[in-house]
């Protein structure tokens, strides 16, 4: 398939994505806060923006330009993460589970920085951590399990399909999200949204057919592209199911989003760690040459926990860093720029990734 038809597919896919995401991001009328409460919050924000003499505070460069800065940072992080991951998967071989584990470890200091910057400062670290440990942590376990599996599938998909195709196929989660929103949240979709979902589905199928023909990656295609597309769609499903439930949980009055973020990160780390240890134990039982009992010594345990570091190049470390930035960019965008900016970053990143992939792949 030629590049021009592919670009048209991406453009149609992005238009459909915008239509569906705008509808699904809109809260039901009965979920909206009472007008009086909204006015109070706006009044408080207005008073906070004034100095003690009644004049406007000097917000500084970041706060004055927070929307374009955060939008640019979010799009850049997503595009770089996907393109660099695509490059590293094609340039060499390494364990996706190991990189997933390293990314989760890197998220802990990022979360600390995010709490200090956006949740009231360093003094909030102790109470938020305490709430994370005591406020029904088991409730998040299955959500984190789905996210952990999706993290591993991310690396399995890239290397078999292009970064641009992954971006398009991964947005099939909007189809799953729409179905779950209708069944779990009582949403109602109009004809425009249903048509947009059909366009999303059609665009995904066309991109997958192009990949199988080798038209986007310049080779390969066939069963590997089909497998990579399957991993991308399965990852989309595994992210859509917990996303709907997690959003519903966070919108519950009294929920602490930062405590929940800590719980999710800890659980994702725990699930991947359990998978790594199980793999190591299975290798020992199967008599694999060089396999060591992870519980035989502390060094063996650490090696089994992190996994093989073979193929972890500086470019792969860049992937680890970029993936860990989700812990601060997403909450910062939602807090300072709003959900609409976050939603528009998704289709923008698809277009930018398609352009970047075309440039570096020739």
């Amino acid at each position: 398939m030629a590049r021009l038809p592919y670009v048209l597919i991406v453009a149609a896919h992005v238009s459909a994505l915008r239509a569906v995401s705008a509808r699904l991001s809109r809260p039901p009328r009965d979920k909206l806060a009472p007008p009086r409460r909204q006015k109070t919050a706006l009044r408080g924000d207005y008073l906070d923006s004034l100095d003690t003499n009644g004049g406007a505070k000097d917000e500084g460069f970041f706060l004055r330009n927070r929307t374009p800065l955060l939008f640019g940072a979010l799009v850049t992080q997503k595009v770089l993460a996907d393109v660099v991951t695509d490059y590293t998967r094609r340039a060499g071989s390494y364990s996706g589970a190991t990189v997933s584990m390293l990314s989760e470890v890197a998220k802990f200091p990022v979360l600390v920085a995010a709490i200090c910057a956006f949740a009231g400062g360093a003094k909030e670290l102790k109470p938020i951590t305490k709430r994370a440990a005591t406020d029904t942590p088991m409730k998040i376990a299955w959500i984190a399990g789905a996210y952990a599996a999706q993290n591993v599938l991310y690396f399995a998909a890239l290397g078999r399909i292009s970064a641009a195709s992954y971006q398009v196929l991964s947005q099939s989660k909007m189809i799953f999200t729409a179905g779950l929103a209708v069944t779990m949240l009582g949403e109602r979709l109009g004809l425009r949204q249903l048509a947009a979902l059909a366009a999303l589905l059609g665009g995904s199928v066309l991109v997958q057919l192009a990949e199988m023909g080798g038209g986007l990656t310049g080779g390969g295609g066939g069963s590997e592209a089909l497998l990579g597309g399957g991993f991308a769609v399965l990852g989309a499903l595994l992210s859509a199911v917990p996303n709907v439930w997690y959003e519903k949980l966070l919108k519950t009055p009294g929920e602490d989003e930062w405590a929940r973020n800590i719980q999710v990160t800890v659980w994702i780390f725990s699930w991947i760690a359990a998978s790594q240890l199980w793999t190591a134990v299975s290798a020992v039982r199967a008599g694999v040459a060089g396999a060591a009992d992870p519980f035989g010594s502390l060094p063996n345990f650490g090696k089994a926990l992190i996994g093989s570091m073979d193929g972890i190049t500086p470019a792969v470390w860049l992937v680890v860093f970029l993936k860990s930035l989700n812990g601060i960019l997403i909450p910062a965008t939602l807090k300072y720029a709003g959900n609409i900016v976050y939603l528009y970053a998704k289709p923008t990143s698809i277009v930018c990734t398609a352009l970047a992939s075309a440039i570096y792949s020739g």
Side-chain angles (χ1 to χ4, degrees), residues 10-351:
V10 172
H13 195 92
V14 166
S15 298
L17 175 62
R18 284 170 47 179
V20 177
S21 62
R23 176 65 185 89
L24 293 179
S25 64
R26 190 183 309 147
R29 293 184 180 276
D30 59 348
K31 300 287 185 181
L32 293 174
R36 179 175 297 178
R37 184 175 181 180
Q38 288 183 343
K39 290 180 179 179
T40 302
L42 291 173
R43 177 65 177 170
D45 292 342
Y46 171 73
L47 291 176
D48 288 342
S49 69
L50 301 179
D51 61 19
T52 53
N53 296 322
K57 289 182 179 179
D58 182 10
E59 293 182 321
F61 177 81
F62 174 77
L63 289 180
R64 286 198 308 270
N65 301 278
R66 56 187 176 271
T67 298
L69 287 174
L70 288 169
F71 179 81
L74 198 61
V75 171
T76 301
Q77 181 264 348
K78 179 61 176 171
V79 173
L80 284 177
D82 288 347
V83 171
V84 176
T85 300
D86 183 31
Y87 166 77
T88 58
R89 295 302 278 179
R90 297 178 189 280
S93 177
Y94 60 86
S95 169
T98 295
V99 177
S100 296
M101 172 64 78
L102 294 173
S103 299
E104 292 307 315
V105 172
K107 279 183 183 178
F108 287 106
V110 171
L111 267 177
V112 170
I115 291 171
C116 292
F118 308 116
K123 67 180 184 299
E124 294 296 324
L125 283 172
K126 184 176 180 179
I128 289 176
T129 303
K130 183 178 180 180
R131 285 194 292 274
T134 58
D135 186 10
T136 57
M138 297 300 295
K139 187 184 293 187
I140 298 294
W142 76 272
I143 294 177
Y147 286 151
Q150 191 241 348
N151 285 347
V152 176
L153 288 170
Y154 171 83
F155 293 99
L158 285 169
R160 292 180 170 88
I161 57 176
S162 68
S165 297
Y166 175 83
Q167 279 267 30
V168 173
L169 292 172
S170 66
Q171 294 308 318
S172 60
K173 68 182 176 184
M174 296 302 301
I175 300 173
F176 302 123
T177 301
L180 291 169
V182 170
T183 56
M184 292 178 60
L185 303 180
E187 286 279 359
R188 298 182 63 182
L189 301 179
L191 291 177
R192 181 185 176 189
Q193 285 73 44
L194 292 174
L197 288 172
L200 278 172
L201 180 60
S204 299
V205 171
L206 289 174
V207 166
Q208 182 60 49
L209 290 175
E211 280 284 355
M212 291 177 65
L216 302 180
T217 58
S223 60
E224 281 295 297
L226 181 61
L227 184 60
F231 285 148
V233 174
L234 179 57
L237 173 61
L238 289 175
S239 64
V241 174
N243 274 354
V244 174
W245 196 87
Y246 192 35
E247 179 183 359
K248 186 176 181 180
L249 176 65
L250 290 179
K251 287 181 178 179
T252 303
E255 285 291 341
D256 186 335
E257 62 175 304
W258 293 104
R260 293 301 186 191
N261 283 336
I262 292 175
Q263 289 175 345
V264 168
T265 302
V266 170
W267 272 113
I268 292 176
F269 173 87
S270 301
W271 282 116
I272 297 177
S275 174
Q276 293 282 76
L277 292 173
W278 177 264
T279 300
V281 170
S282 299
V284 172
R285 290 179 176 175
V288 176
D293 182 5
F295 300 102
S297 66
L298 188 59
N300 285 351
F301 183 83
K303 183 178 179 180
L305 192 66
I306 297 299
S308 173
M309 296 296 288
D310 294 339
I312 305 297
T313 63
V316 178
W317 280 111
L318 177 59
V319 173
V320 171
F321 170 73
L322 290 169
K323 296 288 285 181
S324 70
L325 290 181
N326 285 334
I328 192 168
L329 281 178
I330 293 176
T333 301
L334 294 176
K335 180 177 178 65
Y336 288 105
N339 192 46
I340 295 298
V341 172
Y342 176 68
L343 288 173
Y344 271 83
K346 296 178 181 179
T348 303
S349 67
I350 293 177
V351 175

